Amino acid sequence: MSKQRVGVIGGGQLAWMMGTATEKLGLELWIQTPQKDDPAVAIAHEVIFAPIDDANATEKLAQKCDIITFENEFIDLDALRNLEAKGVCFRPKLSALSPLLDKYEQRSYLHNIGIPVPKFTTLENISSFNSDFPLVVKARRHGYDGQGTFIVKTEAELTSLLQRLKDVPLMLEEYVPFEKELAIMVARSITGQVVTYPLVATYQKEQVCRWVIAPAHVPETLQIQANKIGKHLLTELDVVGIFGIEFFLTSEGELLVNEIAPRTHNSGHYTLDACDISQFEMQLRAVTKHQLGSTQLNCLGAVMINLLGYEDSYSDYAEKRNKIAQLPNTYLHWYGKKECRAGRKLGHVTVLIKDHTTDPEMIAKKIESIWYSH
Ligand code: ADP
């Protein structure tokens, strides 16, 4: 029997990390990505070299594949709708993505279905927005890794930012003085079964995720609440696939949704080493009609540390990688990107926690001290 073919729009590290699961499930992975040195080119059966938002390329991908799924949502939705109308099978289907691609529309959608979000408004309604500085200005589309998110403290800062970004569609929201940032991965099958991974704590510096601790050390009620929000959202959108949900935990103990990633997410990378079924396998299981299976940790917990670029270089950082990889219970994933730039995600490390005396934060700091040393 020939292998089921899955086409993936996007060939970055998220698609690259589908490699092992592709083999385990006996699938053939086809990728649409622009550059020959994009990470997933190394594990793809075939590659269509084209930008993510090139719908003609997606049409070619669809001619070869049974199902199209996503590792990147910076797509041309309107153009893809024509393909869906012609019978191309997108999972999740496009109507599950369409309310989420613009941050203002995403906030509005979540609010309308009763999911708590920070107070927000359009730029046009700024004068009636009842919130004090600091305020948060966000690019409505194409934001990632904090690019496109600006925390402004004064009227003067706001004016100069709006001037600088006058051609970019923006939205405005209240600054949430959160206690913690939390996140969860939620998957839904074709039959409507929903599974949720453990709620994790994420630590950001200058709006970029530095490390993730799984599970988050928070009351069980929050895990239950996060599961409920996840199930509500994915069921409401009739999602087939996996979504990441990022939360702010307020000082009153309330969960507010900051952002939905309609695909696998950095906050779920720990699942590769700490769970029997990773988030990448879960996405492929969901879209290919497999049973979803377990989301349990197979250890006490884990800490995942991003290896972010801190300079412009073409180095492969072999020495530092070796040093980190030799630490106990440590798994290093290197994405093989040729070009390093400040802030670019070059790899990540997961350390499994196997006894109660281990402090995950100390481990994260130790790995960062090796990685960021000069
Ligand atoms: P991106 O889509 O680029 O990841 P996010 O909207 O998730 O951008 O913001 C990145 C980070 O910026 C968040 O994880 C959080 O630390 C901070 N942030 C974003 N929005 C707010 C807010 N309304 N209040 C406080 N901090 C925020």
Side-chain angles (χ1 to χ4, degrees), residues 135-165:
L135 290 172
V136 184
V137 176
K138 290 185 178 177
R140 289 176 57 154
R141 282 213 65 183
H142 297 127
Y144 71 99
D145 288 350
Q147 297 189 25
T149 293
F150 308 90
I151 298 170
V152 290
K153 298 193 187 69
T154 62
E155 191 77 52
E157 265 185 47
L158 178 63
T159 311
S160 90
L161 181 72
L162 296 186
Q163 177 57 31
R164 185 157 67 82
L165 299 180

Side-chain angles (χ1 to χ4, degrees), residues 145-277:
D145 288 350
Q147 297 189 25
T149 293
F150 308 90
I151 298 170
V152 290
K153 298 193 187 69
T154 62
E155 191 77 52
E157 265 185 47
L158 178 63
T159 311
S160 90
L161 181 72
L162 296 186
Q163 177 57 31
R164 185 157 67 82
L165 299 180
K166 61 180 184 314
D167 298 325
V168 181
L170 299 170
M171 65 168 289
L172 197 73
E173 63 187 39
E174 67 171 326
Y175 178 83
V176 180
F178 51 79
E179 285 284 306
K180 275 180 192 288
E181 290 190 81
L182 303 171
I184 194 170
M185 297 306 307
V186 184
R188 186 169 177 273
S189 71
I190 285 173
T191 58
Q193 184 202 0
V194 176
V195 293
T196 52
Y197 281 92
L199 189 60
V200 300
T202 67
Y203 293 81
Q204 274 62 231
K205 198 167 167 190
E206 286 153 10
Q207 285 98 57
V208 183
C209 180
R210 296 293 284 258
W211 68 75
V212 171
I213 293 177
H217 296 286
V218 291
E220 179 65 22
T221 49
L222 289 175
Q223 173 86 51
I224 294 167
Q225 235 176 294
N227 291 352
K228 217 168 130 187
I229 290 173
K231 184 165 188 184
H232 177 41
L233 175 69
L234 271 71
T235 307
E236 199 66 37
L237 285 170
D238 195 15
V239 170
V240 174
I242 193 162
F243 277 17
I245 307 179
E246 295 179 88
F247 300 98
F248 297 131
L249 176 63
T250 69
S251 46
E252 290 81 38
E254 193 192 0
L255 282 180
L256 300 177
V257 170
N258 173 35
E259 184 156 54
I260 309 296
R263 47 166 166 76
T264 53
H265 188 248
N266 191 193
S267 65
H269 287 3
Y270 74 92
T271 60
L272 269 179
D273 303 300
C275 298
D276 290 341
I277 299 180

